């Protein structure tokens, strides 16, 4: 799987272009997507738990960082929801 | 049942859940997989947290060693948890059916790509779905500020910490969220009430864990597994001459046996050769932890699991202090 990801990144112009794209995407992400307060709160909550988990795992397994999928997959899922909202015309946040 | 763009499209829904059902059937056909750690959960070893061993014990009471049903239970719990998590997010945020399905596959991926957490007899099978459910209730809490959601979430947090001690990272997170809700709503009464609930649940978790340990080992202490994990990397990087660092004969004998084991199984950094040491170490982690250092600790260190764990932590600290700057 890592091989395929690497091949795709390389065919897109290598790690540096990927890095520039990620930095650009991050700014777009912060500026446009985290406008609704509940989206911001939910994102920061997932982020906080992910960082907490990574810090704890790093104490014992600094090189391999296993057991981080618990917190990483929900965070990435929510980021994908936020990114997908870029292509939607309706607001991200539903009225409660 | 929530009404949203996904649930209103019945044909897509039937097709998609049919696809998930097929994946689940494939996983069931694969059957249960025993990892090197599975035995210690089935044997209720003293260095394992109580959640998963008790779950396996309860399972064994009904189904004995028919582990096919266990896989069905683990995969089924995963499907329900992923679905519940996504439905909760979909209730509060707008995203299309396509994104819903893609995210379902992404969140369900640990079950059928690489990890196969539903098939392995390991704690992930319980922790992953519990964590998703816990997060769902926290999303509801953030949105609705209702204590019942926080309480349910904290209870799942408790189940998680009782299954894997790793989840203690949740407790500061809960406290931050409670403080944030106080900052938002300025209700001092609910802040104190919620903090008390959190403290009571953390303390009850400690009591449950210590009582379980007392039943198993007659020691009213928490699960001794810190030393077992902390020793792995320092051993992987150690040098033969490090044996001179230890004064206690027990620690000396342990280090000698562990170092010999590392050389014999080619699990030492010196044996990495052309392989990236990161991948080499990652591949040998379980072998070093359970088959080399665990075995050597049982043979040469104190028979009491709590003292033994402390000795392992001490050996680990000595090695880290002396090998921090590798030469």
């Amino acid at each position: 799987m890592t091989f395929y990801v690497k091949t795709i990144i390389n065919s897109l112009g290598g790690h540096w272009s990927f890095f520039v794209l990620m930095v650009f995407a991050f700014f777009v992400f912060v500026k446009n997507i985290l406008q609704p307060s509940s989206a911001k709160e939910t994102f920061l909550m997932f982020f906080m738990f992910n960082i907490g988990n990574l810090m704890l795992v790093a104490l014992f397994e600094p090189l391999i960082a296993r057991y981080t999928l618990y917190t990483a997959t929900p965070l990435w899922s929510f980021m994908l929801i936020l990114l997908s909202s870029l292509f939607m015309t309706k607001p991200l946040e539903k009225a409660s | 049942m929530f009404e949203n763009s996904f649930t209103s499209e019945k044909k897509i829904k039937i097709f998609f859940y049919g696809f998930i059902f097929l994946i689940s059937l494939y996983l069931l056909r694969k059957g249960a997989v025993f990892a090197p750690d599975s035995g210690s959960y089935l044997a209720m070893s003293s260095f394992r947290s109580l959640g998963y061993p008790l779950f396996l014990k309860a399972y064994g009471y009904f189904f004995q060693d028919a582990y096919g049903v266990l896989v069905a239970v683990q995969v089924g719990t995963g499907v329900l948890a992923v679905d519940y998590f996504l439905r909760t997010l979909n209730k509060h945020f707008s995203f299309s059916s396509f994104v819903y399905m893609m995210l379902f596959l992404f969140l369900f991926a640990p079950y059928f790509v690489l990890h196969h957490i539903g098939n392995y007899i390991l704690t992930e099978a319980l922790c992953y779905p519990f964590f998703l459910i816990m997060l769902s209730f926290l999303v509801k809490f953030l949105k609705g500020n209702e204590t019942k959601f926080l309480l349910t979430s904290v209870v799942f947090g408790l189940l998680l910490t009782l299954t894997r001690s790793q989840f203690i990272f949740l407790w500061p997170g809960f406290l931050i969220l409670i403080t944030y809700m106080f900052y938002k709503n300025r209700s001092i009464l609910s802040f104190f009430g919620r903090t008390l609930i959190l403290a009571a649940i953390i303390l009850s978790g400690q009591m449950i864990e210590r009582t379980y340990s007392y039943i198993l080992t007659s020691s009213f202490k928490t699960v001794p597994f810190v030393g077992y994990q902390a020793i792995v990397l320092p051993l992987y990087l150690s040098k033969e001459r490090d044996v001179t660092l230890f004064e206690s004969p027990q620690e000396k004998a342990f280090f000698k046996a562990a170092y010999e084991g590392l050389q014999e199984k080619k699990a030492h950094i010196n044996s990495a050769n052309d392989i990236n040491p990161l991948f080499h170490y990652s591949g040998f982690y379980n072998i070093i932890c359970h088959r080399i250092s665990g075995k050597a600790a049982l043979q040469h260190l104190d028979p009491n699991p709590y003292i033994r764990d402390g000795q392992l932590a001490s050996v680990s600290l000595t090695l880290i202090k002396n090998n921090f700057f590798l030469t």
Side-chain angles (χ1 to χ4, degrees):
Chain A
M1 185 134 175
T2 321
F3 171 76
Y4 291 114
V5 173
K6 273 184 183 169
T7 313
I8 291 166
I9 292 170
N10 284 333
S11 63
L12 287 172
H15 295 86
W16 282 107
S17 64
F18 185 70
F19 174 73
V20 171
L21 188 70
M22 284 303 285
V23 171
F24 177 70
F26 180 75
F27 280 110
V28 174
F29 175 77
V30 168
K31 192 165 178 259
N32 296 342
I33 306 173
L34 286 179
Q35 291 294 333
S37 64
S38 71
K40 198 184 297 171
E41 287 166 355
T42 310
F43 172 76
L44 288 175
M45 179 180 77
F46 289 178
F47 186 74
M48 174 181 75
F49 283 128
N50 194 39
I51 291 293
N53 190 18
L54 287 174
M55 281 166 68
L56 191 82
V57 170
L59 275 179
F60 295 100
E61 298 177 352
L63 292 181
I64 50 179
R66 301 179 304 170
Y67 311 121
T68 51
L69 71 92
Y70 303 112
T71 48
T73 43
L75 176 68
W76 279 102
S77 304
F78 194 66
M79 280 176 74
L80 289 172
I81 291 172
L82 296 174
L83 285 172
S84 73
S85 74
L86 276 176
F87 307 101
M88 291 198 311
T89 46
K90 55 184 177 181
L92 171 71
E93 201 173 13
K94 284 184 180 176
S96 52
Chain B
M1 182 72 78
F2 305 131
E3 275 309 315
N4 54 48
S5 60
F6 181 71
T7 51
S8 60
E9 292 170 32
K10 275 193 175 170
K11 278 182 189 168
I12 298 175
K13 190 179 160 188
I14 291 166
F15 171 76
F16 182 69
Y17 284 120
F19 181 61
I20 295 297
F21 182 68
L22 284 178
I23 294 177
S24 305
L25 279 184
Y26 160 73
L27 295 174
L28 284 181
R29 203 167 166 269
K30 201 170 148 33
V33 183
F34 288 80
D37 315 17
S38 303
S40 56
Y41 292 111
L42 288 163
M44 297 181 92
S45 296
S46 59
F47 60 85
R48 292 296 184 193
S49 298
L50 69 158
Y52 200 59
L54 284 182
F55 168 73
L56 289 175
K57 190 87 179 163
Y59 173 84
Y61 181 78
F62 293 106
F63 301 102
Q64 284 80 41
D65 55 356
Y67 292 113
V69 187
L70 181 71
V71 176
V73 172
Q74 294 187 158
V75 172
T77 316
V79 172
L80 291 175
V82 170
D83 198 47
Y84 187 74
F85 178 68
L86 281 178
R87 278 173 193 276
T88 308
L89 285 182
N90 204 0
K91 196 183 176 190
H92 300 302
F93 302 101
S94 288
F95 52 97
S96 65
S97 306
F98 177 73
V99 174
Y100 193 106
M101 288 187 284
M102 289 301 106
L103 287 181
F104 198 112
L105 288 176
F106 177 66
L107 286 163
F108 192 55
Y111 284 85
F112 62 93
V113 186
L114 293 174
H115 299 85
H116 291 100
I117 59 176
N119 293 87
Y120 274 97
I121 302 182
L122 291 173
T123 51
E124 283 92 328
L126 281 190
C127 292
Y128 187 60
F130 280 2
F131 185 71
L132 289 178
I133 296 171
M134 189 216 77
L135 278 185
S136 309
F137 280 101
L138 273 185
V139 171
K140 288 181 178 183
F141 171 63
L142 275 179
K143 192 81 178 175
N145 190 27
E146 287 182 55
T147 307
K148 66 177 180 185
F149 294 137
L150 176 74
L151 185 62
T152 318
S153 185
V154 175
V155 169
F156 272 100
L158 174 69
L159 291 176
L160 281 165
T161 49
L162 290 178
T163 309
R164 272 190 88 84
S165 308
Q166 175 191 346
F167 281 94
I168 52 165
F169 73 84
L170 292 174
W171 299 138
F174 274 114
L175 194 63
I176 291 169
L177 284 176
I178 290 170
T179 314
Y180 172 70
M181 292 312 262
F182 166 66
Y183 170 77
K184 245 176 97 174
N185 303 300
R186 303 279 171 197
S187 168
I188 191 90
L189 201 66
S190 67
F191 171 72
F192 277 121
R194 286 163 179 178
T195 312
L196 263 179
I197 289 172
L198 182 66
I201 287 181
I202 294 172
L203 281 177
S204 69
Q206 280 284 315
M207 291 296 287
I208 293 168
E209 196 173 322
R210 282 164 191 262
T211 309
Y212 172 77
S213 251
Y214 184 77
I215 294 166
L216 281 189
T217 63
S218 307
S219 297
F220 195 67
K221 292 176 179 170
T222 50
V223 173
F225 200 52
V226 174
Y228 274 92
Q229 286 177 315
I231 192 72
V232 180
L233 186 57
L235 271 183
Y236 180 74
L237 300 172
S238 63
K239 295 182 281 288
E240 197 172 5
R241 64 169 187 267
D242 289 342
V243 72
T244 54
L245 300 170
F246 307 105
E247 284 172 12
S248 134
Q250 276 187 326
E251 291 181 358
K252 253 187 205 299
F254 160 76
F255 181 80
K256 265 188 182 172
Y259 194 83
E260 277 165 21
L262 287 169
Q263 299 302 327
E264 191 188 313
K265 293 203 182 323
K266 298 196 183 306
H268 189 266
I269 191 166
N270 289 344
S271 312
N273 299 326
D274 295 338
I275 310 166
N276 182 333
L278 190 72
F279 298 128
H280 185 250
Y281 170 69
S282 176
F284 274 105
Y285 182 88
N286 272 327
I287 293 170
I288 301 173
C289 187
H290 297 282
R291 294 191 194 158
I292 298 173
S293 100
K295 205 173 146 190
L298 273 176
Q299 283 172 345
H300 299 287
L301 298 181
D302 201 280
N304 182 314
Y306 296 94
I307 299 173
R308 191 165 64 235
D309 194 58
Q311 286 176 318
L312 283 171
S314 150
V315 172
S316 159
L317 272 178
T318 311
L319 289 173
I320 292 170
K321 270 193 275 180
N322 287 280
N323 290 336
F324 197 77
F325 298 103
L326 278 174
T327 49

